[in-house]
Amino acid sequence: MAEKIKLTVPNEEKNITLIRMATSFIASQMDFDIEAIEDLRVCVSEACNIQLGTSEKLRLTLEDKTDALEIHVEKKKSLDVEEGMNRELAASIMEILMDEVKIDNEGVHLIKYLRVNDHGETQG
């Protein structure tokens, strides 16, 4: 059964720690391995950093899809040139660590699939 958690926090850098902790908790409950959890933490930080200071609130949705964790960080404004360069670096990092990454007019969408190895153990 899919569960959806929505977080809305003041759009300040210090709150990214809270978002990283929530992401880690959900991923660990889904049985992602330590490496996958760290990948998720890094990527959710990058997704949030893109939106720092762009609005009063930072809005994030984490959805447990049983076989995947989907994360959406809502976009609030268009980015200027310098922010665009930071976004490109963040996008490169996320694309390396996540299974799916989409950055569009609605925000940043991330998906990490939960995998099962040959021994029936889950892996991120």
Side-chain angles (χ1 to χ4, degrees):
M1 181 172 116
E3 289 186 58
K4 188 182 283 190
I5 296 171
K6 293 185 177 197
L7 298 172
T8 302
V9 298
N11 193 348
E12 300 171 7
E13 189 172 357
K14 67 182 181 181
N15 291 321
I16 293 176
T17 301
L18 173 65
I19 292 168
R20 287 170 53 102
M21 289 173 56
T23 302
S24 296
F25 176 76
I26 293 165
S28 68
Q29 295 298 303
M30 292 178 65
D31 290 328
F32 278 96
D33 62 26
I34 297 295
E35 185 177 318
I37 291 171
E38 186 56 31
D39 291 350
L40 285 158
R41 288 169 46 94
V42 168
C43 290
V44 79
S45 292
E46 291 297 332
C48 290
N49 281 331
I50 290 172
Q51 293 302 321
L52 272 180
T54 61
S55 65
E56 188 175 308
K57 300 289 182 185
L58 186 58
R59 290 178 172 78
L60 176 92
T61 303
L62 300 150
E63 190 167 1
D64 173 351
K65 295 280 198 168
T66 307
D67 66 338
L69 179 57
E70 292 188 20
I71 301 167
H72 172 74
V73 178
E74 186 178 304
K75 180 182 174 193
K76 284 309 211 182
K77 72 164 188 139
S78 58
L79 304 173
D80 65 26
V81 174
E82 184 178 333
E83 289 170 324
M85 290 187 307
N86 291 337
R87 176 179 146 170
E88 288 178 27
L89 176 59
S92 296
I93 291 168
M94 291 184 285
E95 287 173 359
I96 291 168
L97 299 175
M98 299 299 288
D99 294 315
E100 293 182 33
V101 176
K102 181 177 158 189
I103 301 173
D104 60 21
N105 290 335
E106 294 178 16
V108 180
H109 309 270
L110 306 170
I111 299 176
K112 184 76 163 177
Y113 291 101
L114 188 61
R115 294 175 176 73
V116 178
N117 68 17
D118 294 338
H119 304 291
E121 301 164 332
T122 56
Q123 299 176 285

